[in-house]
Amino acid sequence: MPDQLSVLVVESDRERALQIVDGLGGSDRFVVSVISESSGLARHVAERNPDVVLIDIESPSRDILEELASASSPLERPVAMFVDRSDDGLTQAAVEAGVSAYVVDGLHTHRIRPVLDAAISRFSVFKRMRTELETTKRALEERKVIDRAKGILMKSKGMSEDEAYAMLRKTAMDRGRRVSDVAEALVTAAGLLS
């Protein structure tokens, strides 16, 4: 996250919106913009592209959570939601929509910054975990393709596993490509020939 964060506040009540801005004030850390309507959230988020979204709403609906999930792309930015009341189903839906902090019992000015900081931290942890998971999945898929390519070479050329891998590696180096790319091409070609 950058040193100065743009925060999009979604609050229909002007007085509460001013409380939120005051709760975030006193710091050069936040640049705050306020919208009063939760409808059209996707468009507002796309237009403003904030670093953080803070929503204060009396009682969230599934429609708002669905729009939030599709619009705000909570996987791209932290979202903190303050609600006056909720039920288990909505809490679960908020978590599934990617809300980083879901605070029931409404908004209290003194809690805004700590909750926002917690949402940002939680988002960062989950983003790092998602990145690591994607990297691990990609490495596993590449490993599977390399193993299949080695199997093809071992069967068709009568090579040992080490010899097959050495051949893949040498071919990759000679062509300036990655071993997994060469393996993928071999597996694809073998599939076409069988």
Side-chain angles (χ1 to χ4, degrees), residues 143-156 164 168 179-180 182-187:
R143 185 82 245 152
K144 286 179 183 178
V145 170
I146 291 169
D147 285 345
R148 288 201 331 248
K150 286 190 304 185
I152 291 167
L153 289 173
M154 290 164 58
K155 185 176 180 182
S156 67
L168 287 171
V179 172
S180 60
V182 170
E184 180 72 39
L186 177 63
V187 169

Side-chain angles (χ1 to χ4, degrees), residues 95-112:
V95 170
E96 289 174 4
V99 172
S100 304
Y102 187 77
V103 181
V104 180
D105 192 22
L107 177 87
H108 300 285
T109 307
H110 66 280
R111 294 193 320 185
I112 294 172

Side-chain angles (χ1 to χ4, degrees), residues 18-33:
L18 291 172
Q19 286 179 339
I20 294 170
V21 172
D22 288 345
L24 294 172
S27 169
D28 292 336
R29 184 169 177 219
F30 302 108
V31 176
V32 182
S33 61

Side-chain angles (χ1 to χ4, degrees), residues 165-187:
Y165 184 74
M167 180 180 224
L168 287 171
R169 194 175 74 223
K170 181 178 180 337
T171 303
M173 288 176 25
D174 290 347
R175 296 188 179 161
R177 298 179 68 196
R178 296 172 358 129
V179 172
S180 60
D181 293 338
V182 170
E184 180 72 39
L186 177 63
V187 169

Side-chain angles (χ1 to χ4, degrees), residues 69-110:
S70 65
S72 123
S73 295
L75 298 178
E76 296 174 13
R77 68 185 46 84
V79 175
M81 184 176 276
F82 291 87
V83 299
D84 290 336
R85 59 186 179 278
S86 184
D87 63 41
D88 290 341
L90 287 176
T91 302
Q92 182 66 30
V95 170
E96 289 174 4
V99 172
S100 304
Y102 187 77
V103 181
V104 180
D105 192 22
L107 177 87
H108 300 285
T109 307
H110 66 280

